[in-house]
Amino acid sequence: MSEDYAALQAAAKRHLWLHFTRHSAYADGDVPMIVRGSGPYVFDQRGKRYLDGLAGLFVSQIGHGRTDVAEAGARQGAELAYFPLWSYAHPRAVELAERLASLAPGDLNRVFFTTSGSEAVESAWKLAKQYFALTGQPTRYKVLSREIAYHGTSHGALAITGLPPIKIPFEPLPPGGVRVPNTNFYRAPEFVASDWAAFGGWAADEIERAIEREGAESVAAIFLEPVQNSGGCFPPPPGYFQRVREICDKHGVLLVSDEVICAFGRLGHYFGCERYGYQPDIITFAKGVTSGYAPLGGMMVSDRLMEPYLTGGTTFLHGVTFAGHPVSSAVAMANLDVFEKEDLLGNVRAHEGAFRATLEKLYDLPIVGEVRGDGYFYGIELVKDKATRTTFDDHESERLLRGFLSHALFDAGLICRADDRGDPVIQLSPPLTCTQQHFDEMEQILRSVLTQAWAHI
Ligand SMILES: Cc1ncc(COP(=O)(O)O)c(C=O)c1O
């Protein structure tokens, strides 16, 4: 065991390139290595247990270690491991497309599969550009998105992403990305800071101003998450999406609901837009569609958007080898079976109030500025001064998050995200099977570690 442990650690350090990871942080210590999972818990190389408060990376909706879902993948692999969706179909992709169409809101009934969220976002932008080219509006190519929002890392998705630090090294990016305000009410401009709905109205109207400034004839789409993840879970203010829908209709701009995180139960519905009562033109999804038992992503659109591609010599000039992979499609079907059999949406709706109330107990800590989110998706914003909402400067934030919190939370047995892409936040997005005992466990670990963090500042 200890030999295996050392050998695996050495091989990890020598050969494995981790994503978005400062490798120097592991120069003198172990690489955290998760070896198995069961329900909402995962276990490391030494057998230590962690509560997976982030569902891996907003992925493991049904929890870990579900052999029924894994076996569905294995059976499909034995029957037909691979065939492309380029010119051909295979039964599992067809069945999954039909099932997703039956679950999606309104007229979204066409599914274009990918393997990831970034590819889903790329696909939606390319679909929009070619759609407008085909329908006599070839000048529409720009995309709007919100400040600090994360929409993926491939060049197109990165151009839509609103986080300058992760874009700068890769510039120039494809042209056309335009930023609009996010819906962080905790940091709202003074003149709308006392009224959530007025703030939402202002943030939505800023979208219209951006469209007019850019020229509506140049704008193809706007990408918005139902609850914006990056920055720490910003739910939409009341009326925000209704106003955005009106603006998009008025200016002929496509509304893309980027639901890579928010779909498949995260907010207590199959799709996040249902929770807030708006109808997008495109939904992008990934992550929870398979709960991570195999990789899959995609976008859903209406007949209206597919129509120009259905006749004559027209083709959507886009595709990826592993999109709609048979094993992933079979796994997604089995995952959705679990959603139905175990009423996971019902579980989220029944317990989300208790989850919020449990996290809100942390308000008695001086470092907790705001607890925000919906469903099973929460951000806790950390502040230096609660009364003035003063945040930490870059140096303090570095010391607090990377120097202390990330390790301390992990060591205390909780996987969550300590993030400072906006202001410093801790994010929680547990498996949808969690109940009060798990909320209590999260609260207790956070209470203890945040108390130490306050002493550490
Ligand atoms: C809203 C959103 N869009 C797109 C992506 C990119 O997904 P992927 O990492 O699967 O490429 C993410 C990833 O977290 C996301 O949160």
Side-chain angles (χ1 to χ4, degrees):
M1 164 71 187
S2 66
E3 240 174 61
D4 289 353
Y5 182 97
L8 208 54
Q9 279 292 331
K13 289 187 186 185
R14 177 128 181 78
H15 299 294
L16 185 64
W17 197 330
L18 303 175
H19 294 210
F20 277 113
T21 301
R22 212 183 271 181
H23 271 263
S24 63
Y26 299 135
D28 301 319
D30 283 357
V31 178
M33 203 169 312
I34 300 300
V35 298
R36 70 181 180 89
S38 174
Y41 293 99
V42 291
F43 298 82
D44 73 8
Q45 256 187 313
R46 294 183 193 273
K48 182 176 167 187
R49 192 179 88 159
Y50 301 82
L51 177 57
D52 186 3
L54 204 62
L57 196 55
F58 317 99
V59 167
S60 309
Q61 317 294 70
I62 60 171
H64 301 276
R66 296 286 310 228
T67 48
D68 47 351
V69 178
E71 279 160 9
R75 276 196 304 278
Q76 181 57 42
E79 185 179 307
L80 177 72
Y82 176 71
F83 223 73
L85 294 180
W86 302 42
S87 305
Y88 303 95
H90 57 77
R92 295 302 91 74
V94 176
E95 289 158 10
L96 181 60
E98 185 181 33
R99 188 160 182 180
L100 292 175
S102 76
L103 299 176
D107 57 358
L108 302 182
N109 64 353
R110 302 277 185 171
V111 186
F112 183 92
F113 286 114
T114 65
T115 63
S116 71
S118 297
E119 281 174 6
V121 167
E122 290 286 341
S123 304
W125 191 5
K126 289 181 76 174
L127 166 76
K129 283 166 84 171
Q130 198 184 347
Y131 168 80
F132 283 122
L134 288 168
T135 53
Q137 303 181 72
T139 56
R140 285 191 188 264
Y141 72 95
K142 293 179 188 167
V143 270
L144 273 53
S145 58
R146 292 183 287 202
E147 283 159 358
I148 317 180
Y150 180 86
H151 292 283
T153 48
S154 53
H155 274 82
L158 199 55
I160 300 173
T161 287
L163 289 158
I166 65 164
K167 300 167 70 145
I168 289 164
F170 309 104
E171 283 173 345
L173 292 168
V178 177
R179 287 301 83 70
V180 293
N182 61 48
T183 58
N184 183 1
F185 186 49
Y186 190 65
R187 302 276 173 208
E190 190 71 33
F191 62 95
V192 279
S194 58
D195 181 338
W196 200 27
F199 167 65
W202 166 79
D205 287 345
E206 281 298 302
I207 292 172
E208 180 157 45
R209 279 189 274 281
I211 293 172
E212 286 168 350
R213 205 167 48 238
E214 296 294 323
E217 70 292 344
S218 72
V219 180
I222 177 162
F223 283 69
L224 303 170
E225 293 163 87
V227 172
Q228 180 177 322
N229 167 46
S230 192
C233 299
F234 307 144
Y240 175 79
F241 274 113
Q242 288 63 35
R243 178 79 189 107
V244 172
R245 182 69 266 177
E246 278 170 21
I247 293 165
C248 287
D249 289 343
K250 178 171 161 197
H251 295 284
V253 171
L254 298 177
L255 172 53
V256 183
S257 195
D258 184 355
E259 307 218 2
V260 167
I261 289 179
C262 291
F264 303 107
R266 182 59 46 211
L267 301 172
H269 296 260
Y270 278 111
F271 295 96
C273 55
E274 297 171 272
R275 178 166 185 137
Y276 305 113
Y278 68 95
Q279 179 63 41
D281 298 299
I282 303 177
I283 289 177
T284 48
F285 63 88
K287 299 189 186 263
V289 66
T290 59
S291 286
Y293 285 75
L296 185 70
M299 65 171 166
M300 302 204 60
V301 308
S302 64
D303 283 340
R304 178 174 68 92
L305 290 190
M306 194 174 180
E307 201 270 334
Y309 295 96
L310 287 175
T311 49
T314 312
T315 303
F316 182 31
L317 297 165
H318 183 60
V320 284
T321 300
F322 286 144
H325 192 283
V327 170
S328 302
S329 301
V331 160
M333 291 293 280
N335 179 49
L336 293 173
D337 289 345
V338 174
F339 270 70
E340 277 177 25
K341 275 191 238 141
E342 298 179 16
D343 188 22
L344 292 187
L345 303 185
N347 192 57
V348 172
R349 290 187 207 177
H351 294 110
E352 63 172 314
F355 186 29
R356 174 189 286 272
T358 307
L359 294 178
E360 282 181 346
K361 289 187 193 169
L362 297 167
Y363 268 129
D364 63 354
L365 301 178
I367 198 171
V368 172
E370 188 177 46
V371 175
R372 57 179 175 246
D374 270 328
Y376 273 21
F377 190 31
Y378 273 87
I380 300 171
E381 181 160 340
L382 307 179
V383 288
K384 205 156 70 171
D385 184 326
K386 242 178 163 68
T388 58
R389 301 187 179 184
T390 308
T391 192
F392 298 93
D393 64 29
D394 287 353
H395 179 67
E396 291 164 333
S397 180
E398 169 77 21
R399 251 188 6 175
L400 177 68
L401 268 69
R402 272 171 283 276
F404 180 73
L405 274 176
S406 297
H407 309 289
L409 287 163
F410 187 70
D411 290 347
L414 177 62
I415 294 181
C416 59
R417 185 178 224 176
D419 189 22
D420 62 353
R421 289 179 296 178
D423 295 307
V425 287
I426 289 181
Q427 282 186 286
L428 294 161
S429 162
L432 311 183
T433 49
C434 284
T435 54
Q436 188 63 47
Q437 75 178 96
H438 309 110
F439 309 152
D440 287 340
E441 196 176 334
M442 286 184 239
E443 194 268 343
Q444 280 151 23
I445 294 175
L446 286 165
R447 173 172 297 281
S448 152
V449 173
L450 289 174
T451 304
Q452 291 169 49
W454 187 248
H456 194 82
I457 296 165

